């Protein structure tokens, strides 16, 4: 045994108990009361929670967009993850064009991360138009550790409804999960034309340009397609109460539909687009209303949504300032570092979620859905010793200066938190302790996702 975390409260997906955690090498060796570990380094964690490392299932590091790259690269993105209690991130392997073979895109993206990642990582495979017919390529990337595909219903990368249907069938045969950015492209195009004709193109019109119905229609259409294909489907960054309700309704009819939301959709509203800093809050889909915030919390609490991830897609103020209109402003915000403390303060302390639910939506559910469980997302003997020591008494006011993103700002500036990560262990190694990053570029490893053939409910 090398490490004994003594006297803390262990939180798992189904319980909260006072227990010690013993670590041997990279793995959890034992969890239980009054463990003896002769020769091990002992850390007193009384009064603190011990959680399985958080998995941020939706990040974009050094992503090319036009002639820019997102501000956080594999090093700064995974360093800030460690500082926020996140021990695994899932980014995207996106072909540069439909002509780039899927396997080549996957290898390129793995190589980019290789020497830079400070926490473990996995990859969703983006599938572009036509590639949904590449049965051999899809099978090959699954064989290399891809458990999920990603498609868009808008942007240049969009797939037609028929192509999405074909991919759903391929994925079902392979046991992989299709994840989808849901916004209706035709509705977006029409609305943009209307606003351009009226001269209303300032970033302040961003939310008006993509009303709730844009997301809801795309979600409803997708649920229908997934039902026809008899395939599970996962909807990323759900921003609307009605979108979440459509997912919950499909699930209650027995359909295997999963939904992810993000802290900004739970905690911020479109009023942020009124100020001079509207560009900094511009992401797709846009922020909504306080009523949407509340309905998203309700569905998260009731199990209608299963994952909270961040869609960490950071741009600096100067990158954001290159935008002259809502449609050409770099879209996305940073978020990984504040994921756990925000969900604890505004989810658990506000009474929406229990501690085991917090662990489910931030760690266990993404691990199961993306083929990483029980190596990740599980605090039990044999799992990787990815652990967060969380101090529920620590009071923090969020400021960009206290965070580590190359964006240089946070959309949660001034938010009061009670509870903050004290320390983070990655496979038994201390990588963050009381404000200090102790990890290293290259310590993060690619973790292959393992598919679950047969398409049974991935959370059971
Ligand atoms: O605006 C956003 N969300 N940018 C990141 C890419 C995406 O759509 O997830
Ligand atoms: Zn998206
Ligand atoms: Zn995204």
């Amino acid at each position: 045994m090398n490490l004994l975390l003594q006297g803390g409260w262990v939180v798992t997906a189904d319980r909260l108990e006072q227990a010690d955690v013993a670590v041997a090498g990279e793995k959890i060796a034992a969890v239980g009361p009054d463990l003896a570990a002769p020769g091990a380094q002992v850390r007193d964690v009384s009064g603190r929670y011990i959680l399985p490392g958080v998995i941020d299932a939706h990040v974009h590091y050094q992503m090319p967009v036009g002639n820019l790259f997102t501000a956080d690269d594999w090093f700064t993105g995974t360093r800030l993850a460690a500082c926020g209690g996140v021990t695994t991130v899932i980014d995207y392997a996106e072909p540069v064009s439909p002509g780039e073979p899927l396997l080549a895109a996957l290898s390129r993206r793995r190589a980019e991360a290789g020497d830079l990642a400070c926490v473990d990582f996995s990859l969703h495979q983006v599938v572009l138009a036509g590639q949904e017919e590449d049965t051999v390529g899809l099978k090959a990337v699954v064989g290399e550790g891809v458990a999920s595909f990603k498609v868009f219903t808008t942007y240049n990368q969009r797939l037609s409804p028929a192509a999405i249907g074909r991919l759903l069938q391929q994925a079902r045969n392979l046991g992989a999960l299709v994840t989808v950015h849901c916004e209706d492209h035709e509705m977006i195009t029409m609305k943009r034309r209307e606003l351009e004709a009226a001269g209303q193109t300032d970033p302040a019109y961003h939310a008006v340009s993509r009303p709730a119905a844009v997301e809801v229609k795309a979600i409803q259409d997708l649920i229908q397609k997934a039902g026809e294909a008899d395939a599970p489907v996962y909807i990323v960054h759900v921003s609307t109460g009605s979108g979440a309700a459509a997912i919950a309704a499909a699930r209650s009819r027995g359909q295997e539909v999963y939904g992810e939301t993000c802290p900004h959709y739970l905690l911020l509203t479109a009023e942020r687009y009124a100020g001079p800093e509207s560009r900094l809050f511009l992401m797709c889909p846009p922020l909504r209303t306080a009523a949407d915030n509340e309905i998203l919390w309700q569905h998260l609490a009731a199990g209608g949504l299963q994952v909270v991830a961040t869609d960490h897609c950071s741009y600096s103020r100067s990158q954001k300032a290159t935008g002259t209109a809502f449609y050409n402003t770099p879209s996305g915000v940073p978020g990984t570092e504040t994921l756990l403390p925000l969900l604890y303060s505004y989810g658990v302390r506000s009474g929406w979620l229990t501690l085991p639910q917090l662990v489910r939506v931030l760690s266990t559910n993404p691990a199961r859905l993306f083929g990483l469980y029980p190596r990740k997302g599980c605090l039990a003997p044999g799992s990787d010793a990815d652990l967060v020591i969380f101090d529920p008494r620590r009071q923090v006011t969020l400021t960009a200066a206290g965070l580590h993103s190359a964006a240089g700002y946070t959309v949660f500036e001034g938010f009061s938190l009670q509870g903050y990560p004290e320390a983070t262990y990655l496979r038994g190694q201390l990588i963050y302790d009381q404000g200090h990053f102790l990890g290293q570029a290259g310590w993060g490893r690619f973790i292959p996702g393992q598919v679950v053939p047969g398409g049974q409910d991935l959370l059971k």
Side-chain angles (χ1 to χ4, degrees), residues 168-368:
L168 284 161
Q169 285 177 7
Q170 298 262 27
R172 185 199 53 205
N173 296 340
L174 292 166
L177 180 62
V178 177
T179 73
V180 187
H181 171 127
C182 281
E183 289 186 292
D184 186 83
H185 188 67
E186 270 176 40
M187 290 171 82
I188 292 172
T189 310
M190 272 172 48
K191 198 76 200 166
R192 175 170 158 184
R193 277 200 204 116
E194 245 176 72
L195 288 166
E196 275 188 294
Q200 295 175 329
T201 59
D202 188 89
Y205 289 97
H206 177 58
V208 182
S209 79
R210 297 168 109 94
V214 164
E215 175 177 273
V216 177
K217 176 162 190 317
I219 290 179
Q220 286 166 340
D221 290 351
L222 177 71
I223 288 173
Q224 163 99 21
K225 274 264 160 263
E228 286 162 12
D230 192 22
V233 73
Y234 175 100
I235 299 161
V236 300
H237 54 41
V238 177
S239 65
T240 57
S242 306
I247 294 168
R251 291 177 62 77
S252 62
R253 294 192 301 268
Q255 201 175 330
E256 214 184 320
V257 181
Y258 304 101
E260 162 200 292
T261 190
C262 309
H264 42 272
Y265 299 125
L266 291 164
L267 296 170
L268 302 175
T269 66
E271 274 137 39
R272 301 289 179 145
Y273 297 120
E277 305 238 278
S278 57
R279 280 179 186 77
L280 302 186
F281 294 85
L282 193 150
M283 84 290 283
C284 297
L287 300 172
R288 307 295 181 184
T289 66
D292 287 290
N293 298 158
E294 170 125 0
I295 299 169
L296 291 171
W297 279 118
Q298 284 166 359
H299 284 294
L300 198 59
L305 296 171
Q306 297 73 39
V307 173
V308 183
T310 68
D311 194 10
H312 183 100
C313 182
S314 59
Y315 296 98
S316 65
R317 283 172 186 273
S318 59
Q319 288 178 310
K320 284 279 190 182
T322 59
T324 53
F326 61 76
Y327 50 79
N328 65 16
T329 299
S331 173
V333 297
T336 300
E337 191 170 1
T338 49
L339 172 62
L340 169 60
L342 283 169
L343 261 279
Y344 177 77
S345 280
Y346 293 91
V348 176
R349 290 191 72 86
S350 299
W352 286 114
L353 304 176
T354 63
L355 279 162
Q357 277 180 306
L358 179 79
V359 163
R360 261 178 261 161
V361 300
L362 294 183
S363 188
T364 309
N365 288 352
R368 284 190 189 274

Side-chain angles (χ1 to χ4, degrees), residues 51-59 61 81 84-91 119-124 234 260-261 306-311 336 339-340 358-378 384 386 388 424 426 447:
L51 315 173
V54 170
I55 298 172
D56 189 347
H58 188 158
V59 302
Y61 299 145
V86 175
T87 50
T88 305
V89 293
I90 316 184
D91 203 306
V119 301
D120 286 348
F121 65 98
S122 201
L123 291 164
H124 308 285
Y234 175 100
E260 162 200 292
T261 190
Q306 297 73 39
V307 173
V308 183
T310 68
D311 194 10
T336 300
L339 172 62
L340 169 60
L358 179 79
V359 163
R360 261 178 261 161
V361 300
L362 294 183
S363 188
T364 309
N365 288 352
R368 284 190 189 274
L369 289 165
F370 299 117
L372 307 174
Y373 190 88
R375 179 168 179 189
K376 305 290 187 188
C378 181
D384 279 358
D386 294 347
V388 187
T424 308
L426 174 72
I447 308 295

Side-chain angles (χ1 to χ4, degrees), residues 82-128:
C83 300
V86 175
T87 50
T88 305
V89 293
I90 316 184
D91 203 306
Y92 295 85
E94 179 166 348
V96 286
S97 72
E100 184 183 24
L102 293 167
L103 204 49
L106 177 66
S107 311
R108 183 171 46 73
R109 198 72 175 132
R110 270 189 68 171
E112 269 172 32
D115 293 340
L116 293 177
C118 309
V119 301
D120 286 348
F121 65 98
S122 201
L123 291 164
H124 308 285
Q125 178 73 54
V126 175
V127 176
L128 299 177

Side-chain angles (χ1 to χ4, degrees), residues 345 349 391-398 416-420:
S345 280
R349 290 191 72 86
D391 181 354
R393 288 162 308 197
R394 175 129 181 257
Q395 298 194 327
V396 170
T397 301
L398 285 177
S416 297
L417 302 176
Q418 174 149 1
Y420 210 78

